[in-house]
Amino acid sequence: MPHRPAELTPTPEFLGHSSARPLHWLATATAMAAVVAAAGLIQPDTAAGGPAGPAHSSAAPASGPQAAAPDPAAVTYPLDCKGLPTAVTATAQGDLDGDGRPETVAAVRCDAGSGTPPHAIYVLAQDKTPGATPRVVATLLEAGKRQTATDLTIRDGVVTASLLGYSSPQVPRYSPDVKQLAKWRWSGGKFRQELTNSDARSV
């Protein structure tokens, strides 16, 4: 069954910056997609929520002094939380576009205090201008997908996360029955996304 990848919208700066039941994960089907980069300031409706894993960093050292990765606490996220604050639940840092300057990837959700709000996953970049505020330059996962992101990592320039979701509105929110392994790579002016889908069925 087909699965559609989340739309990713980098800015020009980034381009130049170049009831509970037992569940069984079944066989996987892999979908590949490339999303064309678009100009302009990104303004997504994004996020997927839930618990996310700890921060991880890519281990590709660059010669000379290392630039600091963008601070996720200093960013205003384009996430509509109906007056509630946002919460960054996981981050990963690494050079995604090969320019020697690290980006930060952040899993963000509304801080509802209860339940499992969906996550959005954003890419953050830091302008070279001294004192510039880091900002969102791409959206890897939109909140409208209603997925929970876990195990967020960057390794060798590839962003990886596990996404938990639901096959229908009837599935209890505490018991997601769909799992996807998502990978995003910046290549040829595009983020290329790979999704491996595992549908969990009750027995």
Side-chain angles (χ1 to χ4, degrees), residues 8-11 14 42 44 121-124 136-140 191:
L8 319 178
T9 314
T11 63
F14 184 72
I42 138 179
I121 299 179
Y122 299 110
V123 179
L124 314 178
V136 172
V137 294
T139 301
L140 303 183
F191 270 112

Side-chain angles (χ1 to χ4, degrees), residues 17-46:
H17 184 77
S18 309
S19 71
R21 294 159 292 188
L23 301 177
H24 294 280
W25 304 121
L26 300 184
T28 62
T30 301
M32 295 289 294
V35 180
V36 178
L41 189 63
I42 138 179
Q43 297 184 2
D45 305 281
T46 49

Side-chain angles (χ1 to χ4, degrees), residues 72-79 86 122 124 133-136:
V75 176
T76 299
Y77 295 97
L79 184 58
T86 57
Y122 299 110
L124 314 178
T133 301
R135 56 199 177 78
V136 172

Side-chain angles (χ1 to χ4, degrees), residues 19 58 63 67 77 97 160 182 186 194:
S19 71
S58 64
S63 58
Y77 295 97
D97 59 356
T160 303
W186 180 256
E194 176 183 339

Side-chain angles (χ1 to χ4, degrees), residues 58-149:
S58 64
S63 58
Q66 287 282 341
D71 179 3
V75 176
T76 299
Y77 295 97
L79 184 58
D80 183 6
C81 291
K82 309 299 183 186
L84 295 172
T86 57
V88 177
T89 61
T91 63
Q93 294 80 34
D95 182 4
L96 299 180
D97 59 356
D99 70 344
R101 295 173 60 85
E103 286 75 43
T104 295
V105 176
V108 185
R109 65 182 182 185
C110 296
D111 192 2
S114 63
T116 308
H119 275 116
I121 299 179
Y122 299 110
V123 179
L124 314 178
Q126 180 77 55
D127 290 339
K128 295 180 181 179
T129 306
T133 301
R135 56 199 177 78
V136 172
V137 294
T139 301
L140 303 183
L141 179 69
E142 296 184 351
K145 299 293 185 181
R146 304 199 63 79
Q147 292 175 304
T148 298

